[in-house]
Amino acid sequence: MLHITCLMMSLAGLFTSLSPNIWTYSSLRFISGFARATVCTSALVLSTELVGRRWRGEVGVIGFFCFTIGFLSLPIMAYFFQNSSWRVLYLMISLPTFFYSILVHFFVKESPRWLLVRGREEEALKILRSMARLNGKSIDFNIEALCIEEEAWNVNVYSAMKILWEKKWAFRRLLAIMVVNFGVGLVYYGMPLGAGNLDFNLYLSVTFNALAEFPSALLTFFLISRLNRRCAMITLSMVSGVFSILCVFLSRERKGGLSLSKERTWDVLVSIERKGDIKNGWQMGAEFVAFFSCCTAFNIVIIYCLELFPTSVRNSALSLVRLAIVFAGIFSPLLVVLGRENAFWSFGVFGLVIICCGMFSLLLPETRGRPFCDTMEEQECKEGTSSSPL
């Protein structure tokens, strides 16, 4: 899936640069977005299932660094190609993905956990031995000693969705984490778009938002093994929401300060302009803190989701969780447009939604330090979920 969708996304981007009309352009953008969602989910699940619980969080966060580098490269490339056609920009951002899909095909291995759950023991053992050789070690054991049984219900592409729906604890857990991610996604996708509504240089504001992801990923990398998932999500949601709402008040004060009559003297105009610059700086700072907190919450909640569900349904559960994030992103552009007239409809709504949605973290169990489960039965046995509300 990772190889095919990477290749699909890169080719769609390359052909977009050759679009003859808006209909072809829109169709290719849809294909690219369709493939991109699968890339993110498959890469994250695959990387975390290849390591033990000691490094699970850190390995998951490493992928966020690469995402940040890509995010940061966009305004840089856009700046250097600002006098060129938009087709050139599409071409430049699609070429790296094409080469990446080739690397995935030759160097990335399947998850041994997933193979074992599917009953493909020999393939799993072959990959484990190959990984051991890369680390200068060798393994020789009976594959049956791992005590992982193939799940009989997992027979087709719809089985995982069905079992998540039928198991009450899994459905409630999935619903709660999706609500949390809806709030995070609204801010995560909305803030960079809303940066255009700030009275600040557009290239710099997008760059600052991209840079916010670096310290966010670093913070998550070093603290993920120590952070209580629920407390972290609630705290970060509150901070992001409060500072997002603060942007509304700073924006209102700024707009009010710019309503000047023609009779004002030149000295008064200069004084107000300087005050406006200071307020704009404070507004950009508040937006930076809100986006930084949201990015950190985004990093943690993805790791959190990986720990909430067993291997047999992990990929499907994470896909639905990311669907909630992207679904929230659908509303972001609409709110940003409304925010051009009144900042409350963008930054105000962003803040209120992420605070309210973040409270749903209270309904989820704490997972810090717990090992991955591979089957639904194993998850229920270890956590007693069959008899608990969540």
Side-chain angles (χ1 to χ4, degrees), residues 23 39 121 232 242 264 267 380:
W23 303 110
V39 169
E121 292 87 355
V242 168
R264 299 281 180 94
D267 291 337
E380 291 177 348

Side-chain angles (χ1 to χ4, degrees), residues 25-37:
Y25 174 89
S26 300
S27 300
L28 290 169
R29 287 293 81 207
F30 177 84
I31 294 172
S32 180
F34 179 84
R36 189 204 65 83

